[in-house]
Amino acid sequence: MDIFNNLMMGFGVALEPINLIFIGLGQLIGVSIGVLPGINASMAVAVLLPLTFGLSPEASLLFLSGIYMGAMFGGSITSILLRVPGTSTAAVVALDGYEMTRQGRAGLALGITAIGSWVAGTFSVIVLMSLGPWLSTVALAFGPPEYFALIFLGLSMITSLGSDSLAKGLIAGAFGLLLGTIGMDTGVGVSRFTFGILELDNGVNFIAVLIGMFAVSQSLLNLKKSLSHAFYKGKMTGLLPSLADLKESAGSIFRGTVLGTFIGMLPGAGATAAAFMSYSIEARISKHPERVGKGEIKCVAGPGSADNSAAGGALVPLLSLGIPGSETTAVLLGALMIHGIRPGPMLFSQHSTLVWATIASLYIANTLGLILATAGIRPLTQILKLPTPVMSAFILVMSVVGSYALANSMVDVWIVWIFGVVGYLMKTLRIPVAPVILALVLGPMAEKSFRQSLYMSDGSLAVFATRPITVVMLILGLISLFLPFIISAIKGGKK
Amino acid sequence: MKIADRISSILLIVLSGLWIYWARQLPYPKFAQVSNMGPGDFPTIIAVMLAIFAVWQFVDTFRPPVAKTAADSGKEAERLENPKAGRDIITGFGLFTIMLAIMPFAGFSLAASIFVCLFLLLIGRYQFYWAGLIAVAIPSLLWFIFAYLLTVPLPKGPWGF
């Protein structure tokens, strides 16, 4: 009953005209940005974050959440029509989605993805509102050792799951942690690694790092690609799937939805992994394996749903524990912090209006997304006609303005420049950039909890071995860290 | 890629070494001894970890490469490579750097207009009038949103904008 009352309160706030406008605007921007290849949700949310400085915390979060959810569906549109994935999460949808387009079934592919996304988004929000308050209540009993173990678990999953090479994932994570040590040491009040730059006393602004690593480096990388796209010129009919199509896809949507939600909750795994896993499951259990890769509707419906539900699932650890599981939720964390709100277990009780308004807005955003996706596909694909150089120039200038607006300082702008170079090099070397951002956010929290734990135990590390929850989470963290080795050892043993 | 990986591993090991050196220079107040953790200890642990992972990557470069999976092919978009990519990226980054360098003196509007104009002329190969038009439009739009609507005081030149 509490959940229902809270949800109604949330709807009360989200349906206020001004908030509704921001949700709709966020969805429209999100879907439009999702359509554009090379611009992902985290980049869009980071670059547009400064636009929310003058807004209320509610309007700000509703706007950014709208962009986040909208970008997830937008990516599928160009994947299906042009085989140009707007986002990495939608890459796998291109495999069968584009084949459906070639067979003249583009409308059906888009329609089933829109419906699947709506179902998945709604389900993940239901999980969020059911699990979130419970998790935050559990987390209230956590002391510094448990918090350290939880962050360790999150970081180990981020670094081990987010990359093709474990060494590179770990390097990215450690590099992010290293950056997190820059700034005033809160324990003893000593400036560390600031080299006399006063602006660095508060640490490296992770939004500036994120803008540099995602927006600047990606804008430059986009110049590597061809400057024009082949546009889909066929007829777009049958956006609403028939009953038979829905019946055929229902199982895939359900599997993708459940899988995506729970993978989304795991730090680091993210929507891309969920979509690829869903595709792999659908391909494996298909009764018509000859159709896989040649326009199998189930292989579009499953992954198309999984990526959307993963986006909702990723909000569970953010809102209940204050731990972002993906780079986009890290930016949302930054948005909350800019408005003086500290995400964590207390968020549900101290800022219940904000949390429940966000949850309610996700329902609204999902439904708006469905309408936008079915009614506005034709005009949305026209966005692709925007020339890459103009988009790149716009994003680069916007990155400068956005980072300057963080603290009205050129230091943040130069941080963007530095991390633009670092991000470009990392992407060229295939070192994942997401763990850097997440480790930069989680690093100071980890250090604080670690040192508080040692204060509690007079400097003894035994504090981490005597508390059951801490021990379980540390063991899980170690397992996830060494999972790739364990799997390869098992595979080697079988051979 | 292997040589690049080796170079990056060596650079990361050097960075770790520097970090450890700087961390060891930090003061160690008496009250920090209660937790056995001074301000330089956590950074030292992280830097040691980074060095270990960098050595691991270095060793990995001597192993045979893993074959591409079917899923990898799905990740790769069907887009043509721009034949002038290297030149465009260097030009783009150079122009971006110049914009940042002149912005505190020339102001946001002028620096951004020059950047957009040159970017479109040199990389987009636009006609001058189109480049000029877009170079005025983008900074003006952003100025209107940030400086006027959001009252963010963007860097101004001697002429006040």
Side-chain angles (χ1 to χ4, degrees):
Chain A
M1 200 60 197
D2 256 5
I3 290 177
F4 182 75
N5 288 337
N6 285 327
L7 188 63
M8 286 303 110
M9 176 187 71
F11 269 112
V13 177
L15 287 172
E16 279 174 21
I18 187 75
N19 290 338
L20 205 56
I21 289 170
F22 279 111
I23 298 170
L25 198 63
Q27 264 288 320
L28 186 65
I29 294 174
V31 177
S32 311
I33 279 170
V35 165
L36 288 167
I39 305 178
N40 57 25
S42 50
M43 183 172 156
V45 175
V47 171
L48 296 173
L49 175 63
L51 286 178
T52 67
F53 288 174
L55 304 179
S56 68
E58 285 83 11
S60 165
L61 203 62
L62 301 190
F63 175 64
L64 296 173
S65 305
I67 296 175
Y68 179 36
M69 299 300 277
M72 285 295 151
F73 177 73
S76 306
I77 297 176
T78 42
S79 265
I80 290 168
L81 294 183
L82 309 168
R83 213 184 175 198
V84 177
T87 55
S88 62
T89 55
V92 76
V93 176
L95 297 175
D96 283 75
Y98 184 65
E99 287 303 316
M100 286 181 75
T101 298
R102 287 176 54 173
Q103 293 160 12
R105 298 193 295 155
L108 175 59
L110 289 165
I112 204 74
T113 310
I115 291 170
S117 296
W118 180 78
V119 172
T122 307
F123 176 82
S124 67
V125 178
I126 292 171
V127 171
L128 166 65
M129 66 181 206
S130 319
L131 218 58
W134 174 78
L135 256 180
S136 63
T137 314
V138 171
L140 278 175
F142 283 11
E146 284 80 13
Y147 247 96
F148 173 75
L150 182 66
I151 295 167
F152 173 75
L153 173 63
L155 278 173
S156 66
M157 290 173 108
I158 289 159
T159 48
S160 58
L161 295 175
S163 150
D164 297 336
S165 152
L166 181 57
K168 288 185 175 181
L170 290 169
I171 283 174
F175 182 60
L177 287 173
L178 209 68
L179 293 174
T181 61
I182 296 173
M184 183 71 75
D185 172 76
T186 48
V188 295
V190 173
S191 285
R192 301 187 301 188
F193 318 110
T194 57
F195 308 104
I197 302 167
L198 289 175
E199 285 89 343
L200 288 180
D201 270 349
N202 289 328
V204 179
N205 192 320
F206 82 89
I207 301 288
V209 175
L210 199 143
I211 292 174
M213 282 196 153
F214 283 89
V216 174
S217 67
Q218 195 60 49
S219 296
L220 295 171
L221 276 168
N222 285 349
L223 297 174
K224 272 188 175 179
K225 303 291 178 188
S226 167
L227 304 181
S228 59
H229 306 283
F231 287 94
Y232 175 70
K233 293 187 179 72
K235 276 189 178 176
M236 198 92 68
T237 51
L239 275 169
L240 287 177
S242 67
L243 212 60
D245 294 325
L246 278 176
K247 207 174 157 189
E248 194 184 350
S249 314
S252 312
I253 291 174
F254 175 74
R255 283 186 292 274
T257 297
V258 176
L259 178 82
T261 303
F262 290 100
I263 286 187
M265 284 195 278
L266 300 175
T272 308
F276 273 84
M277 280 174 77
S278 167
Y279 183 86
S280 160
I281 289 171
E282 294 309 321
R284 221 172 276 168
I285 65 169
S286 173
K287 285 177 187 166
H288 304 283
E290 74 282 357
R291 282 198 223 155
V292 175
K294 290 171 186 154
E296 171 64 286
I297 193 169
K298 289 181 174 184
C299 292
V300 176
S305 312
D307 62 358
N308 244 59
S309 56
L315 291 171
V316 176
L318 175 75
L319 295 178
S320 54
L321 305 172
I323 293 184
S326 66
E327 61 266 39
T328 317
T329 48
V331 190
L332 293 178
L333 177 108
L336 287 169
M337 282 156 64
I338 283 167
H339 288 285
I341 296 162
R342 180 88 221 172
M346 301 298 284
L347 192 66
F348 269 91
S349 50
Q350 285 180 348
H351 299 281
S352 59
T353 312
L354 174 74
V355 175
W356 287 100
T358 307
I359 290 172
S361 80
L362 295 175
Y363 282 110
I364 300 166
N366 258 327
T367 309
L368 282 177
L370 182 67
I371 297 166
L372 200 63
T374 43
I377 281 174
R378 232 342 155 180
L380 280 169
T381 52
Q382 301 301 310
I383 293 168
L384 275 169
K385 286 183 178 167
L386 277 173
T388 307
V390 177
M391 276 310 295
S392 290
F394 181 78
I395 292 168
L396 288 169
V397 177
M398 182 79 188
S399 302
V400 172
V401 187
S403 51
Y404 184 85
L406 291 172
N408 297 338
S409 151
M410 281 303 284
V411 171
D412 285 329
V413 181
W414 284 107
I415 289 175
V416 166
W417 182 87
I418 292 167
F419 286 96
V421 181
V422 173
Y424 179 82
L425 293 174
M426 286 179 71
K427 284 175 183 174
T428 309
L429 292 167
R430 295 192 183 161
I431 297 174
V433 293
V436 178
I437 306 294
L438 294 166
L440 175 59
V441 174
L442 295 175
M445 296 185 205
E447 183 180 4
K448 191 178 164 196
S449 314
F450 188 70
R451 287 167 75 171
Q452 281 175 340
S453 307
L454 290 179
Y455 272 114
M456 281 168 60
S457 64
D458 289 333
S460 167
L461 285 170
V463 70
F464 297 107
T466 51
R467 299 165 74 109
I469 298 173
T470 309
V471 173
V472 169
M473 284 195 283
L474 287 176
I475 290 172
L476 285 174
L478 287 171
I479 290 173
S480 99
L481 209 54
F482 294 103
L483 198 63
F485 289 118
I486 298 167
I487 292 170
S488 72
I490 293 168
K491 278 183 184 169
K494 274 184 184 173
K495 279 179 188 172
Chain B
M1 181 62 84
K2 279 187 173 185
I3 292 171
D5 278 346
R6 278 173 208 159
I7 294 169
S8 68
S9 301
I10 293 165
L11 289 174
L12 286 168
I13 292 166
V14 172
L15 176 70
S16 307
L18 285 171
W19 219 261
I20 293 167
Y21 172 76
W22 290 325
R24 297 331 307 159
Q25 307 296 311
L26 291 167
Y28 195 100
K30 269 196 172 175
F31 62 89
Q33 289 168 9
V34 180
S35 64
N36 278 336
M37 282 286 280
D41 291 337
F42 194 78
T44 304
I45 296 169
I46 303 299
V48 169
M49 278 165 52
L50 180 62
I52 293 169
F53 301 146
V55 170
W56 179 359
Q57 184 188 241
F58 189 81
V59 173
D60 258 357
T61 60
F62 293 96
R63 290 186 185 151
V66 182
K68 269 191 176 181
T69 62
D72 290 334
S73 61
K75 287 180 186 173
E76 285 165 13
E78 260 195 3
R79 298 178 72 192
L80 298 169
E81 287 291 321
N82 172 8
K84 291 178 180 167
R87 199 203 77 166
D88 284 354
I89 289 168
I90 292 169
T91 310
F93 199 73
L95 291 173
F96 185 59
T97 310
I98 293 168
M99 171 173 66
L100 299 196
I102 65 169
M103 194 172 281
F105 318 104
F108 164 77
S109 302
L110 185 67
S113 296
I114 293 171
F115 165 75
V116 175
C117 187
L118 291 176
F119 193 92
L120 295 181
L121 284 173
L122 299 174
I123 296 170
R125 284 116 202 153
Y126 275 57
Q127 299 282 359
F128 186 78
Y129 53 88
W130 274 117
L133 197 69
I134 299 167
V136 173
I138 291 178
S140 303
L141 175 71
L142 291 175
W143 179 270
F144 176 74
I145 294 172
F146 281 89
Y148 183 74
L149 293 180
L150 300 173
T151 61
V152 173
L154 294 174
K156 288 177 185 171
W159 32 83
F161 60 88

